[in-house]
Amino acid sequence: MLSFSSSQLLVALLLIIYVGSILVSSHSREVTGRQDYIGASLLPSSHPEKATGRKSTLPVIHRDGHSHPRSSSEQSRDIVQIIRLDNERVAFIQSKFRGVDQTLSSGKVRLGAILGAGNYVVNISLGTPKRGLTVAFDTGSALTWTQCLPCVVSCYRQVNLIFDPSRSSSYRNVSCASTTCAQIASGTSVPPSCSGSTCLYGIIYGDSSYSNGFFATEKLTLSPTDKINNFQFGCGQDNQGLFGSLDGLMGLSRDRISIVEQTASKYGRIFSYCLPDTSTPTGYLSLGAGGRSSAAFTPMLTLSEPSFYGVKLVAINIEGKRLPISPTVFSRAGTIIDSGTVITRLPRTAYRALRTAFRQAMRRYLRARPPPGLILDTCYNLRRSINPHIPSVTFTFGGDVNINLTRNNLLYTISRSCECLAFTGNSDDSSMGIYGNVQQLKFEVTFNLPRRQIGFVPNSC
Ligand SMILES: *[C@@H]1O[C@H](CO)[C@@H](O)[C@H](O)[C@H]1NC(C)=O
Ligand SMILES: *[C@@H]1O[C@H](CO)[C@@H](O)[C@H](O)[C@H]1NC(C)=O
Ligand SMILES: *[C@@H]1O[C@H](CO)[C@@H](O)[C@H](O)[C@H]1NC(C)=O
């Protein structure tokens, strides 16, 4: 009797595990094409109502990796332009930390948000019935927006059909009188305005790029099993600028209107991404817990601009030797980690020390002259070098987290005969340091807001 019931139990257990694994593996295939997160999805899949912390994963590609025909603005995007846009982004971020709106040489004042060149994109869907959109995600931005018909003023050419709110049964304008409307200002730095009773947002990026329109709510679909009702977004009626042909942006910063905060009850304010390099076609962006347990976590700091993710950079090591940089050099300005900045910015003193040691370690290789106007100044022609020995560089963050950088994290490829050290120095030691996306390639970077931790796992995509 006992053995019968325990074998029954065993059969039942096996059945649950079997059915669970079918559900989970079809779910994870559907969503990610990857099998790594089975454990993470197992429990919540059977309790869809109590999905707190459940992970939703989207494939990520680099925006220049699109297979669709490029618009003319995209064709002209070359390395020099990418670096120029990167400089604009960095100047803007640093000016925010200095507490001033930056004044352009032309005399215009920049407000609001930041745009960069090194954008990574995901596909999301909006509306009922749902429409696919290709958007860049950005840890330095709060607002999620897309172009919307009827494009009252203007829309640029984009990847997918422009979203038509009049054809969606779940679209709602946000009322001008609502507290939701009043909350936009922190995310766009531009106070909302009203058109009748409809809340209007305006977001201005560097280079006169902007999006203005109705602040609205919609059903956001991340995957067949992940839907977010009443997601607040910008329905752009007047859009222009250097967005390439992207359908819009998705904001992942620490702000009330970012997707991270809006989905707090569903995903627990945890997200992670792995940015692909040239060796992998896709990376991923995940919302919710369930990252790798092997992550090394460093404290997430809140700096004077609290929407950015602060980290404590402690030291830089090259070939196992710590560079002679006083810790106060790093602590003076502080450092943020940013998905949208391409090239890591270091305090001037720290960059000089890194450059000197890197050049010394690379002295037997042919130097290359970088294209004029580039901020990169330590370049090599490695075309004829078989298995060149690239020195190991390790960044040490607070909590004794050591990040070993590989060749693709250290050298930025300008051309086959010109690869440059992918770091640069700020003009002095007082401007904000930024840990950029070249140095994050292929790491799973996890942002755990409740625990105030940022985690790294190498070689994750
Ligand atoms: C996103 O959608 C576009 C067009 O709808 C498609 O070409 C592209 O491959 C998709 N990208 C990803 C990362 O799924
Ligand atoms: C949203 O507001 C705009 C401007 O007031 C209006 O034209 C549009 O019809 C509204 N849409 C809905 C669904 O209420
Ligand atoms: C980083 O490299 C050092 C020395 O090469 C090694 O001992 C350490 O385990 C590596 N750390 C990680 C996280 O891979």
Side-chain angles (χ1 to χ4, degrees):
M1 190 61 190
L2 186 69
S3 69
F4 177 71
S5 78
S6 63
S7 68
Q8 247 187 341
L9 192 68
L10 188 67
V11 168
L13 257 176
L14 285 172
L15 199 67
I16 290 167
I17 291 168
Y18 176 64
V19 171
S21 73
I22 290 174
L23 285 176
V24 165
S25 63
S26 66
H27 168 84
S28 90
R29 251 200 304 280
E30 209 165 76
V31 176
T32 68
R34 297 166 54 91
Q35 299 291 318
D36 306 25
Y37 299 108
I38 285 174
S41 337
L42 184 58
L43 181 69
S45 300
S46 51
H47 298 285
E49 297 311 309
K50 296 177 187 167
T52 302
R54 181 161 58 116
K55 195 162 168 130
S56 172
T57 301
L58 305 167
V60 167
I61 58 167
H62 191 271
R63 107 183 218 185
D64 293 332
H66 281 313
S67 52
H68 66 85
R70 292 176 177 202
S71 67
S72 57
S73 72
E74 228 173 349
Q75 259 157 19
S76 64
R77 283 164 51 83
D78 56 11
I79 302 273
V80 172
Q81 196 192 358
I82 287 173
I83 300 293
R84 191 178 63 76
L85 281 173
D86 201 43
N87 289 343
E88 300 250 347
R89 179 184 179 93
V90 167
F92 192 81
I93 292 174
Q94 292 178 339
S95 72
K96 287 194 99 150
F97 278 99
R98 277 193 292 271
V100 289
D101 276 325
Q102 196 192 7
T103 304
L104 289 171
S105 47
S106 60
K108 277 183 288 175
V109 172
R110 275 185 240 190
L111 289 166
I114 43 177
L115 184 66
N119 293 321
Y120 289 87
V121 303
V122 289
N123 286 342
I124 56 173
S125 302
L126 208 57
T128 311
K130 63 184 187 338
R131 296 284 171 200
L133 298 174
T134 301
V135 296
F137 66 90
D138 183 2
T139 59
S141 294
L143 180 74
T144 298
W145 63 265
T146 187
Q147 302 196 102
C148 280
L149 291 177
C151 298
V152 176
V153 181
S154 126
C155 288
Y156 56 85
R157 216 189 103 196
Q158 66 171 43
V159 181
N160 296 287
L161 289 175
I162 293 176
F163 185 69
D164 185 353
S166 72
R167 296 204 173 175
S168 169
S169 61
S170 45
Y171 177 90
R172 303 280 178 277
N173 285 328
V174 166
S175 151
C176 208
S178 69
T179 50
T180 309
C181 182
Q183 279 166 13
I184 312 177
S186 69
T188 60
S189 305
V190 179
S193 50
C194 300
S195 161
S197 63
T198 306
C199 180
L200 299 182
Y201 75 93
I203 191 158
I204 307 167
Y205 301 86
D207 261 322
S208 315
S209 299
Y210 56 81
S211 173
N212 301 311
F214 305 131
F215 194 48
T217 63
E218 247 305 5
K219 183 173 185 175
L220 172 67
T221 302
L222 297 176
S223 75
T225 51
D226 286 274
K227 300 177 202 311
I228 296 132
N229 291 318
N230 305 316
F231 179 72
Q232 297 156 19
F233 78 109
C235 200
Q237 299 293 338
D238 181 12
N239 317 277
Q240 199 175 313
L242 297 165
F243 305 116
S245 55
L246 295 178
D247 304 343
L249 295 187
M250 182 160 94
L252 288 167
S253 72
R254 275 196 283 184
D255 183 275
R256 297 180 78 152
I257 62 165
S258 89
I259 188 170
V260 181
E261 295 295 343
Q262 284 199 55
T263 59
S265 63
K266 191 175 175 66
Y267 299 120
R269 302 166 74 226
I270 300 171
F271 69 95
S272 50
Y273 55 69
C274 185
L275 307 176
D277 70 5
T278 47
S279 69
T280 31
T282 59
Y284 55 85
L285 170 67
S286 295
L287 291 162
R292 287 146 201 254
S293 52
S294 58
F297 284 99
T298 188
M300 176 191 290
L301 308 181
T302 302
L303 306 174
S304 62
E305 281 290 315
S307 66
F308 292 96
Y309 296 99
V311 286
K312 183 180 182 190
L313 179 54
V314 175
I316 303 173
N317 309 276
I318 180 160
E319 297 284 54
K321 282 222 286 267
R322 182 179 278 224
L323 293 176
I325 304 164
S326 157
T328 57
V329 166
F330 295 121
S331 58
R332 185 171 165 206
T335 306
I336 59 162
I337 181 166
D338 183 33
S339 71
T341 297
V342 181
I343 303 293
T344 286
R345 302 313 205 267
L346 295 170
R348 179 183 158 95
T349 308
Y351 177 65
R352 298 213 153 190
L354 173 63
R355 180 176 72 180
T356 302
F358 192 84
R359 285 180 180 173
Q360 173 67 17
M362 291 283 288
R363 66 191 175 280
R364 71 189 101 136
Y365 298 107
L366 189 62
R367 288 281 293 274
R369 190 192 295 268
L374 228 55
I375 46 172
L376 306 174
D377 63 7
T378 299
C379 306
Y380 297 88
N381 180 347
L382 300 172
R383 215 171 158 173
R384 300 228 164 80
S385 310
I386 298 150
N387 282 331
H389 173 75
I390 310 300
S392 69
V393 174
T394 303
F395 270 58
T396 306
F397 290 101
D400 205 23
V401 168
N402 289 304
I403 305 296
N404 292 346
L405 300 174
T406 63
R407 177 176 177 160
N408 283 347
N409 301 127
L410 292 172
L411 293 174
Y412 190 72
T413 304
I414 308 291
S415 68
R416 280 186 64 199
S417 53
C418 184
E419 296 177 62
C420 302
L421 182 62
F423 296 85
T424 192
N426 288 328
S427 55
D428 54 44
D429 284 353
S430 66
S431 297
M432 182 55 57
I434 304 174
Y435 194 71
N437 65 32
V438 171
Q439 284 67 37
Q440 297 173 54
L441 295 175
K442 294 196 81 162
F443 283 87
E444 179 180 273
V445 186
T446 299
F447 297 74
N448 187 321
L449 279 69
R451 287 197 185 157
R452 295 172 182 264
Q453 286 181 325
I454 296 176
F456 297 88
V457 184
N459 223 0
S460 295
C461 58

